[in-house]
Amino acid sequence: MSNEAILHEHQTGAHDAGHAHEHHHHETFITKYVFSQDHKMIAKQFLITGIIWAIIGGLFSVLFRLQLGYPESTFPWLEDFLGNWAKGGKLDPDFYYALVTMHGTILVFFVLTAGLSGTFSNFLIPLQVGARDMASPFLNMLSYWFFFAASIVMMASLFVQTGPASGGWTIYPPLSALGEASSGSKIGMDLWLISMSLFIINALLGGLNYITTVLNMRTKGMSMTRMPLTMWAFFFTAVLGVLSFPVLLSGCILLLFDRNLGTSFYLSDIVINGKILPNEGGSAILFQHLFWFLGHPEVYIIILPAMGIASEVMSVNSRKPIFGYMAMVGSLFAIAALSFLVWAHHMFVTGLNPFLGSFFVLLTLLIAVPSAIKVFNWLTTLWRGNIRFTPGMLFAIGFVSMFISGGLTGIFLGNSALDIHLHDTYFIVAHFHIVMGVAGMFGMFAGLYHWYPKMYGRYMNNTLAYIHFWVTLIGSYLIFWPMHYEGLAGMPRRYYEFSGWESFNMFGGLNQFISFVSIIVFAAQLLFVFNFFYSIFKGRKVTELNPWGAASLEWSTPIRPGHGNWPGEIPEVHRWAYDYGKDGRDFIPQTEPVGEDESKH
Amino acid sequence: MTTATAQPTTKLWSGGKSPFNVSYGKLMMWYFLMSDAFTFGAFLISYGTIRFSQNVWADPNHVFNAFPFMGHANLPLAFVSLMTFILIFSSVTMVLAVHEGHKMNRKGVEKWLVWTILGGLAFLGCQAWEWTHLITGEHEVLVNGAIQSWGTTVTHNPWGPEVLFNGKEVATPGPIAFGGYFFGITGFHGFHVFSGVVINIIMLIQTRMKVFENRGHYEMIEKAGLYWHFVDLVWVFVFLCFYLV
Ligand code: HEM
Ligand SMILES: [Cu+2]
């Protein structure tokens, strides 16, 4: 038996699968839509689950913004809707914390991780590298179902009597480790940990598939440096996930033990309700290290796919090659590598040795270099391009704007001395919402508007899309920009109300304004959701193979590709994915052989 | 295994083939093991930081000195050495199973898989004995001026420094983190061994059903083997961290 035989077997196997499909259609509803092993269907499953979570998570933020913006008012309808959690029309403080925690957890993990890389890595990797499907379609399917299971458990935690986890999305012990500490630290916290463990398995199975598909399954001629930047971004994202999520898993397991078996991994010297606990010798800071060793790469797990999508969409719609392809790949790599070395910048004020802190300051600020390279290259890609302002393009440009604004505040925070003042204030909230939350969502929207025709064979409505874009862009700045001022003035995050502070009363009006705008922005997202689902059934049909005139491989498939993607042979690739505006031609697809007298790029 | 047919290295990455000349399944296994190494790494580093933040720790020569059927004989680390030997031996039998797979010798694969499974089960049995012995074996501890009898659990550690009490040497409570980490990490490793045994049993059944013979290669055995060697390798680190230092 030879290694060659094994390698070969897989390729032909996949090929046969592609063929078989055309001839006999014995797919049932179950195998086509539910337990599907087609990467395109799995992508849509991730997407729609993500959309549902985004609506829930977004709604939560509207609810707690009501409390923050209108602390004096009551909303009797809230009681009809939430019962005891909003007695007399005012959010219960415990429930407020539950909402904030769930908002963070849902948006960071379920929407911007599973919903973003789950959707686009699955959808685009086989299409853009030229493969029939993922390396292992079966594990890919399992990956979605683990996500589904995680979703069910998290959803269930919303309905238990003591409420879901409420210690913040970072679930720091000892608060999260002791059931007596708060109602959200009871069963809701266990469910959170179980759900996240399932989620980590989903991320792992997905990530392994993405990595191996990119490395092993590229079609003939698709060398690594001919891949679109989306592929590089998803590849590095997967590597980050595979290496950092397991550390969170370890942290979660130890926390589960502390909660349920009486161990003392994170607990020491604790008095609760006048009772001295026997736990001794553990360290709450240890958890922070484990959490942020994942937590910081996690923020890049969110933003790298968005970067990849923005690069691709911007190049296509500027009708210009992406500026500095190799620099883009290099900076993705630098960001991915550095992201493992900066986690303690979230812990500057935990009592971390300031000498050690200074190393983390240095490494943190170093990330600004590759980030700036990317920004520079995006702007130069736009420079003198024939820009088509499609909705996807607008969101891609919006992404760059958000990334710049939020990245700049990161430089403030990366200085450990400044961070003493800014830590745990609204400045942080502003920083990460702009640079990760909004930018991540913008990347997702850019991708959705751009690849929707490939996903569903129809277009989304442009007018609704433009309204969606402008309301979201302006609204997001209006919501998060003022938070910088609140944070600089010292207003702490994660507080139920600020009436106890004379000095923050001046922000009453501002808070009201922020809450008001968030309701509008939330409504604009519902517009998007409507547009999305409506267009699946009623959208304008796609009639040409390559509506955007893009060079990459996914547009060489039929308008509605079946399982196996290409009806015949997988096309061979002869050039990189960015031959736009070359030799007087608008674009040259990757499948076209390099001509005799073609100029070099 | 034949090596790559001669091809210029520049072509390796140009698409249409696997750049490392391995199947996607093995590549996935390698990445999974890297990921799993980070899980264990996180546990062991946590253990290290907590352990070295304590003034005292339990002396392994003292804690792990029992052997089944040997009564109270003082045999420091003898039993765990046996366990380690069993596990390493099962790695050897796994190598032999993979080797027979290359030769397409189904009977040979079956034989060595059975030995590997037995080795894994024996290891788990030993671990079960060791855990039981620690948890149920009571030791006298001086707590608040009175003698109590403690087993070694996640909440009790009877292996603290000894003091003189009524003219007798008695132990005081040691850091409770000891039990948590010991049972937590060896348990997590034991869970991996257990999964490995289950995987190997599935492989054995499939081998017997001639699944691999019909497929023309025994690559699945190789993948199971990678996992099994990894689990053994992790044990070496666990052994080092809990028994030797
Ligand atoms: C130049 C780049 C960046 C630097 C120097 C930087 C620095 C920092 C620092 C020092 C903190 C901790 C502040 C504190 O808690 O006191 C922080 C928080 C945070 N950053 Fe950044 N950051 C950068 C870019 C990003 C990017 C690109 C993302 C996401 C895609 C991001 C997401 C976050 C999040 C989520 C938090 C807060 C987490 C929490 O406490 O809940 N940052 N950043
Ligand atoms: Cu960070």
Side-chain angles (χ1 to χ4, degrees):
Chain A
M1 181 221 38
S2 80
N3 195 29
E4 287 302 310
I6 302 170
L7 290 173
H8 195 63
E9 176 202 77
H10 183 78
Q11 253 111 24
T12 49
H15 181 87
D16 290 344
H19 255 312
H21 173 74
E22 291 162 59
H23 300 304
H24 19 100
H25 295 266
H26 37 232
E27 272 186 312
T28 62
F29 180 81
I30 301 277
T31 58
K32 180 144 189 245
Y33 294 105
V34 186
F35 294 106
S36 170
Q37 298 194 17
D38 183 349
H39 69 103
K40 299 185 290 299
M41 185 53 67
I42 295 172
K44 291 176 196 172
Q45 292 174 330
F46 270 107
L47 176 60
I48 289 176
T49 317
I51 290 180
I52 294 170
W53 273 121
I55 299 172
I56 297 172
L59 184 68
F60 284 3
S61 71
V62 170
L63 291 180
F64 66 69
R65 269 320 309 185
L66 283 180
Q67 161 63 27
L68 290 170
Y70 309 92
E72 321 278 64
S73 322
T74 56
F75 305 90
W77 54 271
L78 274 181
E79 190 172 356
D80 304 333
F81 177 43
L82 298 167
N84 280 345
W85 290 121
K87 270 221 180 70
K90 194 166 163 55
L91 286 186
D92 183 74
D94 276 336
F95 192 55
Y96 170 84
Y97 290 117
L99 284 177
V100 177
T101 304
M102 283 297 120
H103 167 76
T105 307
I106 290 170
L107 266 299
V108 168
F109 294 111
F110 288 25
V111 178
L112 288 175
T113 304
L116 181 59
S117 51
T119 303
F120 287 104
S121 299
N122 266 310
F123 190 75
L124 290 178
I125 289 180
L127 285 174
Q128 288 194 333
V129 302
R132 300 250 175 238
D133 204 314
M134 282 291 172
S136 169
F138 176 71
L139 290 186
N140 206 28
M141 173 181 84
L142 271 191
S143 143
Y144 173 75
W145 287 102
F146 271 102
F147 173 47
F148 189 80
S151 297
I152 296 286
V153 176
M154 196 60 88
M155 191 71 87
S157 85
L158 298 176
F159 294 98
V160 298
Q161 198 200 353
T162 46
S166 65
W169 77 283
T170 55
I171 55 153
Y172 284 177
L175 177 59
S176 59
L178 300 167
E180 305 91 313
S182 79
S183 66
S185 303
K186 294 187 171 47
I187 180 81
M189 192 62 231
D190 287 315
L191 291 174
W192 192 100
L193 291 167
I194 293 167
S195 170
M196 279 313 296
S197 306
L198 292 168
F199 185 87
I200 290 168
I201 299 175
N202 138 67
L204 183 63
L205 291 175
L208 291 176
N209 246 319
Y210 308 152
I211 294 173
T212 39
T213 307
V214 169
L215 288 180
N216 254 21
M217 315 283 292
R218 283 166 290 121
T219 182
K220 207 153 179 268
M222 181 65 86
S223 63
M224 294 295 276
T225 46
R226 281 181 182 167
M227 296 196 304
L229 284 172
T230 37
M231 294 298 99
W232 279 104
F234 298 157
F235 175 70
F236 286 128
T237 304
V239 173
L240 285 185
V242 163
L243 297 185
S244 65
F245 268 118
V247 177
L248 179 67
L249 182 66
S250 306
C252 285
I253 290 174
L254 296 185
L255 188 53
L256 266 176
F257 286 170
D258 268 6
R259 295 176 51 75
N260 297 306
L261 299 180
T263 52
S264 314
F265 295 112
Y266 304 130
L267 299 172
S268 190
D269 309 303
I270 290 173
V271 182
I272 189 163
N273 300 330
K275 199 178 90 200
I276 301 176
L277 296 189
N279 306 81
E280 217 184 299
S283 159
I285 304 293
L286 172 65
F287 179 84
Q288 298 193 20
H289 281 293
L290 294 178
F291 183 88
W292 287 114
F293 188 86
L294 158 88
H296 187 84
E298 167 64 24
V299 306
Y300 285 98
I301 289 173
I302 289 173
I303 212 67
L304 292 187
M307 288 175 166
I309 290 171
S311 309
E312 176 71 10
V313 172
M314 282 173 73
S315 174
V316 172
N317 289 299
S318 305
R319 313 309 296 156
K320 270 181 67 189
I322 188 82
F323 188 89
Y325 177 87
M326 284 316 278
M328 287 301 228
V329 175
S331 53
L332 281 175
F333 173 76
I335 290 176
L338 279 173
S339 75
F340 279 109
L341 304 172
V342 299
W343 77 90
H345 66 212
H346 296 274
M347 302 166 59
F348 283 143
V349 298
T350 53
L352 185 82
N353 183 334
F355 181 68
L356 195 59
S358 62
F359 285 98
F360 281 100
V361 171
L362 176 71
L363 291 163
T364 299
L365 295 182
L366 269 182
I367 293 201
V369 177
S371 307
I373 293 177
K374 298 202 78 80
V375 167
F376 176 80
N377 287 356
W378 285 318
L379 297 181
T380 28
T381 302
L382 289 178
W383 178 253
R384 309 191 63 181
N386 293 315
I387 300 180
R388 293 186 309 211
F389 289 103
T390 61
M393 179 63 164
L394 286 176
F395 273 103
I397 298 173
F399 164 85
V400 176
S401 161
M402 286 291 164
F403 186 72
I404 296 174
S405 311
L408 287 177
T409 52
I411 298 178
F412 290 49
L413 299 173
N415 291 282
S416 53
L418 287 178
D419 190 57
I420 295 172
H421 178 63
L422 296 173
H423 179 69
D424 263 351
T425 68
Y426 267 78
F427 195 90
I428 310 293
V429 179
H431 161 69
F432 74 75
H433 275 92
I434 291 182
V435 76
M436 172 181 83
V438 183
M441 290 306 290
F442 271 41
M444 190 155 162
F445 287 133
L448 281 179
Y449 284 112
H450 188 79
W451 279 290
Y452 195 89
K454 192 79 256 164
M455 287 181 161
Y456 293 101
R458 291 173 187 270
Y459 294 97
M460 286 174 77
N461 179 296
N462 264 353
T463 316
L464 291 182
Y466 287 131
I467 299 175
H468 174 220
F469 171 73
W470 288 109
V471 175
T472 312
L473 179 84
I474 298 171
S476 304
Y477 270 120
L478 289 180
I479 293 170
F480 295 114
W481 198 264
M483 289 188 186
H484 291 114
Y485 304 122
E486 298 184 332
L488 283 170
M491 193 166 113
R493 70 193 273 212
R494 292 183 172 151
Y495 273 63
Y496 175 66
E497 60 172 308
F498 296 90
S499 54
W501 275 286
E502 199 51 48
S503 46
F504 301 135
N505 281 343
M506 63 175 176
F507 291 128
L510 194 55
N511 281 333
Q512 222 164 40
F513 172 76
I514 292 176
S515 298
F516 179 70
V517 182
S518 23
I519 294 169
I520 295 177
V521 171
F522 181 68
Q525 306 317 303
L526 294 181
L527 203 63
F528 164 81
V529 174
F530 168 77
N531 192 356
F532 179 86
F533 285 106
Y534 180 83
S535 305
I536 293 182
F537 304 103
K538 292 280 158 68
R540 185 162 54 89
K541 279 206 164 122
V542 178
T543 50
E544 44 192 332
L545 273 187
N546 193 349
W548 309 126
S552 48
L553 216 49
E554 75 273 28
W555 304 102
S556 66
T557 60
I559 292 180
R560 285 166 172 274
H563 197 172
N565 296 339
W566 286 269
E569 290 287 311
I570 302 180
E572 195 179 330
V573 164
H574 301 279
R575 57 179 75 238
W576 72 335
Y578 296 101
D579 270 340
Y580 294 103
K582 190 179 176 200
D583 295 343
R585 286 178 64 184
D586 183 32
F587 75 101
I588 311 176
Q590 277 189 285
T591 48
E592 193 176 308
V594 181
E596 290 278 286
D597 42 356
E598 201 175 313
S599 60
K600 287 239 182 319
H601 52 70
Chain B
M1 192 191 308
T2 49
T3 40
T5 39
Q7 257 160 7
T9 43
T10 47
K11 282 283 185 67
L12 277 182
W13 286 89
S14 66
K17 63 167 91 52
S18 162
F20 303 116
N21 205 29
V22 295
S23 71
Y24 80 89
K26 265 199 225 166
L27 199 60
M28 253 185 198
M29 183 52 94
W30 277 110
Y31 273 96
F32 167 72
L33 296 181
M34 258 154 76
S35 173
D36 214 23
F38 272 66
T39 322
F40 277 106
F43 279 136
L44 289 175
I45 289 172
S46 304
Y47 162 68
T49 54
I50 295 297
R51 171 165 177 175
F52 290 109
S53 74
Q54 307 285 326
N55 294 326
V56 291
W57 199 253
D59 176 3
N61 290 316
H62 218 112
V63 184
F64 309 105
N65 71 348
F67 205 94
F69 312 117
M70 300 296 273
H72 288 281
N74 181 22
L75 301 164
L77 302 188
F79 189 57
V80 70
S81 305
L82 175 67
M83 284 168 71
T84 308
F85 176 75
I86 292 175
L87 205 58
I88 290 178
F89 188 73
S90 79
S91 248
V92 175
T93 56
M94 190 80 218
V95 170
L96 292 173
V98 172
H99 188 66
E100 294 297 327
H102 285 159
K103 295 197 295 196
M104 295 300 289
N105 176 4
R106 183 167 62 84
K107 285 279 171 239
V109 175
E110 280 173 21
K111 176 172 97 189
W112 292 116
L113 269 184
V114 168
W115 279 110
T116 311
I117 292 167
L118 286 179
L121 288 175
F123 178 85
L124 287 174
C126 292
Q127 196 164 39
W129 183 86
E130 186 179 49
W131 275 36
T132 320
H133 179 81
L134 281 174
I135 294 169
T136 56
E138 307 225 312
H139 299 266
E140 294 198 331
V141 190
L142 181 65
V143 189
N144 297 329
I147 301 272
Q148 294 187 1
S149 265
W150 282 5
T152 313
T153 66
V154 294
T155 49
H156 290 83
N157 174 0
W159 304 101
E162 304 204 321
V163 290
L164 265 183
F165 181 69
N166 291 345
K168 212 171 66 166
E169 293 255 299
V170 193
T172 52
I176 37 184
F178 174 76
Y181 278 106
F182 177 77
F183 291 113
I185 295 180
T186 56
F188 196 68
H189 176 265
F191 174 71
H192 274 71
V193 176
F194 174 75
S195 324
V197 169
V198 172
I199 292 171
N200 283 343
I201 290 177
I202 296 173
M203 290 302 113
L204 179 63
I205 295 172
Q206 293 200 322
T207 311
R208 285 205 74 109
M209 286 166 55
K210 304 191 180 163
V211 175
F212 306 128
E213 194 166 285
N214 295 338
R215 197 179 284 173
H217 59 79
Y218 282 82
E219 210 211 16
M220 283 304 280
I221 306 285
E222 286 183 53
K223 284 184 263 186
L226 284 176
Y227 178 77
W228 190 256
H229 298 317
F230 172 78
V231 172
D232 289 2
L233 180 69
V234 168
W235 175 255
V236 173
F237 284 94
V238 173
F239 179 62
L240 180 80
C241 293
F242 281 98
Y243 297 89
L244 294 188
V245 288

